[in-house]
Amino acid sequence: MSALTRKLLRELVTLRGQVIAIAVVIAGGVATLMMFLTALFALTETRDAFYQEYRFADLFASAERAPRGLVTEIERIDGVQRVEDRVVTAANLDVPGYDNPVTGRILSLPEGRQPDMNRLHLRQGRLPEPDREAEVVVSDAFAEAHGLGPGDDLAAIIRGRYQRLEVVGVAVSPEFIYQIRPGEILPDYERYGILWMNRRALAAAYDMDGAFNDLLLTLQHGARPGDVIEAVDRLLEPWGGRGAHDRGDQLSHALLEDELTQLANLAYVIPTIFLGVAAFLLNVVVSRLVATQREIIGALKAFGYSRLAIAGHYVRLVLLIVVLGVLAGVAAGYWLGVQLAEIYAGFFRFPFLEFRLQPPVVAIAAAVTTLSALLGTWLAVRRAARLPPAEAMRPEPPPTYRPTLIERLGLQRWFSQPTRMILRGLERRPLRAGLATVGIALAVAILMIGPYQRNALNTMIDVQFNLVQRDDVTVSFYETTSRKVIHELAGLPGVDRAEPFRQVAAEVAFGHRSHRMAVLGLEPDADLRRLLDTDLRTVPLPGEGVLLTDYLAEQLRVGPGDTLEIRVLEGRRQTLEVPVSGVIAEYLGVSVYMELDALNRLLGEGEAISGAWLGLAGQERGPLLCELDRRPRVAGATEADAAMRNFEENVAGTMMATAAMTTLLAGAIAFGVVYNNARIALAERGRELASLRVLGFTRREIAYLLLGEQAVLIAAALPIGFVIGHYLYAIIVQAAESELYRVPMIPSVAGMALATLVLLGVAALSAWVVRRRLDRLDMVEALKSRE
C-alpha cells in the first residue's frame, strides 16, 4: 500500500464527521432527483403497459341512438382497424346502508365476455355470465368506498325503471383510471360509480335493442385521426352524434395526462433546484476542506510528489465521499420514489405498478455531483500547489489588519471584545464569509418549498370553497329543463336560496388552438358562484361576451377584445362567435362563463337550465338529499363539503406527501451545510483558538468566537434565503400549472418561520457537536509549527 493510500485512509477516519456531513448534502440532492424521476418513469411506463395490455381505444364517439348496422359503414372508413359499439347510460344507484344520493354510469359488455377494447382488469370475482340480466361488475374505487364485493346487492334506476343488481366482480378499466362524474374535476368514489353489465340486459332497460349510443375505435398504423373523426362525425350526425374525439379529449386520459405532465414539470424543476443547490454547496465545502490541507500539500510537494500525484490523492478522497453520498442518495431516493409512485398509483387506481431503478437517473446524479466536487477540489489543490513548498507549509499568513467598518464608525464601544473579534474575522475574509452565507441561504431557500406548498393548499381550499363556490349542494339534471324548476327547488326543506345554471358541452377555439370543456351560463347577480379576479374582487358578468379562466385564456392565447369561437357539441351543434370580455382567476378547473339569458338566446332554447346551486339555511341536509333523490329529473346532487373533502383527500393529500418528502430532504441538506461550515471553521481557526486559550481565554469565550461567527452568518443568510426561496417557489408554481388546478404564489410568513426553526434546530445540533470537539481541543498539537 502506497504512502498516499495510507494517508487517504487515515484522513477518512480523521475527517469522518465532515465526510458524513458532506455525504448527507450529496445524498439529499441525489435522493430528490431519484425520488421524482423514478416515480415519474414508473407511472408513465405503468400507464403505457396498462393501455396496451387492456387495449385502450384510439377514438371515441357517441350519439343519441344509432342503428347497429351503421357499424359496418364505420368499419369501411380508411384508417379504421376495429370498431366496437356499446350502450352507455347514466343511472341513479341505491347502495344498501348509504343514505346520500349516488349516481353512476353503466356500460354494456358483450354477453359473458371481455370487450375487444377497453378491457377490464378484474380485481375480484368474474364477468357477468351470458343471459344473466342482474349481474354487474363495479369499479374498484366505488366498491372500496362502499365495501362492495362479489355477492353483494345494489339497485339502479335506469330510464325510470327500478332494477335489482348483483355484484359479481370488481374491476379497473383503462377508460376510467381517473374516475369522475362528467362536469366535475375531482373524483367522488362514494357518490359516483362505474358499472358494467351484459349488453342484452342494458339495451332492454335503456330501450336500445338493435341500436347503440357509444363507439370505440382503434386505428391502423399511419392513419390520420382527424380524417377518421371527420368521417365518423359525418355518419353519426343524422343519429344525434355528439362529436368523435381522440384520446386527448377522453376525460380520464386527459386528466391523467394533465397530472403526469404536472408531475413531470415538478420532477424536473424541484430536483434541478435541489441538485443544483447541493452541487454548489458541495463545491464550496470541498474547496474549503481541501484548503485546510494547505500545509500538508506543501509538505507533500517538499517530499517530491508532483502536482498530479497530490491532485490525484485529493480527487480520490473526494470521489470516495461522492460515492458514499451517491449510494446513500440512490438508496434513499429509490425508497422515497416507491412511496411517491404508490401514492400516485393509488390515486389513479392503476392495477399494477411498473417500478424499477432508472440507470440514466443514477448516472445524471453521479455526474453532476462528481463534476461539482472535482471542480472544488481542483481549484483548491491548484491554489496550494502553486505556492513554493516552504511557503505552503507555513500557516496561511494573516490578512492585513486595519480598523473594521464598525471601528471606523466609532461603534466599537457598543460591542464586547469577543464580538469585535468575530466581526473583524468576517470582514477581513469577505469571500469566505460570502460563500458561507450564500450556502446557508440556499439551504434556507429549499427549506421554504414544503411550507410554502402547505400554505398554498390552504389558500386554494379557502378561496375555492368559501369565496368562489358558496353553495352547499349542486343539483344537476339529466336533460335541460325549464327555469321554473328553480321555484320548486327553492321550496324544498332547508333550502334558503336557489340559483340556476346552464352547462353546455362545447369546443372553444381561437385560431388553431381549441379546447373541449363546458360553457357555464349563470345569472348576473349570482351569489352562490362568484367570479373573482387575481385580487379576489368580484368580477361582474358581461351582458353579451364571455369571461375565461386565466389558465384557459393563456392556453388559447386569447384576451379581452378577441372573438372566441364556441362549437356546441349537443343539440343543434351550432358554432357561435362571442367576444371575450375579460379574464378571471380560478385555482381549480377551467371554464368559460357567460350570462345565462345570453347563452340561451344564442342557443335559441328559451329559458333552459341544466342544474342549480342551493344554499341551505342550516346544517341538516338529509331530508333535502332524500327529496332530491326521489325526483326523476335529478341526475345528481353534490355536496360542497364532500367536494372539499375529496380535494383534501386526493389532490391535497398527494401534494402534502410530496411536500413532506422534500422538506425532509431539504432538512438533511441544511444540516450538512451548517455542520460543515462549523467544522471547517474549527479546522481553519484551530491554531488561533488554541493561542487564545494559552493567552487566558476561557473555553466558553473561544466557543463564543467560533459559534458566534456561525450565528452571524446564519442571521445574514436568513433574509437572503427568504428572497431566494420565494423566487424558487415561483418557478415551481409555474411548473405546477395544469388544467386540474393551479397553485397560488402567496408569501408565507409561517413558511419562513418554519424554515427558520428547522435551520436553527440543525444549527443548534451542529453547535453542540462542534462545542464538544472544541472542549477537547489539544492546544499543544494545534500550536505546533512546521517551520
Side-chain angles (χ1 to χ4, degrees), residues 318-393:
V318 169
L319 285 182
L320 283 174
I321 299 174
V322 168
V323 168
L324 183 64
V326 170
L327 289 178
V330 168
Y334 184 84
W335 182 80
L336 289 170
V338 171
Q339 309 307 312
L340 185 62
E342 286 183 347
I343 290 172
Y344 273 95
F347 177 63
F348 295 138
R349 318 298 303 187
F350 284 131
F352 52 83
L353 181 63
E354 300 270 356
F355 192 94
R356 60 188 173 87
L357 187 66
Q358 299 290 338
V361 178
V362 179
I364 292 171
V368 171
T369 51
T370 302
L371 286 175
S372 303
L374 291 181
L375 182 62
T377 306
W378 176 250
L379 292 175
V381 169
R382 192 181 65 169
R383 276 197 300 271
R386 280 182 171 177
L387 296 174
E391 185 180 342
M393 283 188 290

Side-chain angles (χ1 to χ4, degrees), residues 406-570:
I406 290 175
E407 290 164 334
R408 291 198 296 275
L409 294 174
L411 302 175
Q412 64 271 22
R413 64 181 181 279
W414 300 102
F415 298 94
S416 65
Q417 178 66 23
T419 302
R420 291 203 296 272
M421 292 173 70
I422 291 172
L423 298 176
R424 281 188 206 125
L426 292 172
E427 187 174 330
R428 286 165 184 160
R429 295 180 176 86
L431 179 61
R432 191 183 68 180
L435 289 175
T437 303
V438 171
I440 298 171
L442 289 173
V444 173
I446 58 176
L447 275 171
M448 290 171 57
I449 291 174
Y452 257 54
Q453 209 153 6
R454 282 190 286 275
N455 179 61
L457 284 172
N458 292 334
T459 303
M460 286 170 67
I461 292 171
D462 183 50
V463 171
Q464 189 67 32
F465 295 104
N466 291 321
L467 299 180
V468 176
Q469 296 178 225
R470 293 159 52 82
D471 61 291
D472 295 303
V473 176
T474 301
V475 180
S476 56
F477 304 126
Y478 281 114
E479 298 173 346
T480 53
T481 187
S482 168
R483 185 194 182 102
K484 294 176 183 175
V485 76
I486 285 297
H487 303 295
E488 186 183 331
L489 292 174
L492 292 177
V495 175
D496 181 57
R497 186 182 178 94
E499 295 178 357
F501 66 82
R502 176 75 194 275
Q503 204 163 29
V504 180
E507 183 178 57
V508 295
F510 182 73
H512 66 280
R513 297 181 178 86
S514 63
H515 190 82
R516 283 197 177 213
M517 50 175 302
V519 176
L520 192 62
L522 57 161
E523 292 189 316
D525 58 346
D527 186 57
L528 297 179
R529 176 61 60 96
R530 289 181 175 174
L531 308 179
L532 307 176
D533 62 13
T534 52
D535 296 323
L536 304 182
R537 294 173 302 196
T538 303
V539 179
L541 266 175
E544 296 296 334
V546 296
L547 296 176
L548 275 72
T549 307
D550 50 359
Y551 181 78
L552 178 64
E554 187 180 326
Q555 297 301 306
L556 296 176
R557 305 283 194 276
V558 65
D562 293 329
T563 300
L564 192 69
E565 188 175 282
I566 300 177
R567 303 164 190 156
V568 180
L569 298 176
E570 56 186 63

Side-chain angles (χ1 to χ4, degrees), residues 19 72 109 159 180 330 361 364 391 436 540 579 584 709:
V19 167
T72 307
L109 289 172
R159 213 176 179 88
I180 63 172
V330 168
V361 178
I364 292 171
E391 185 180 342
I584 60 169
E709 181 179 300

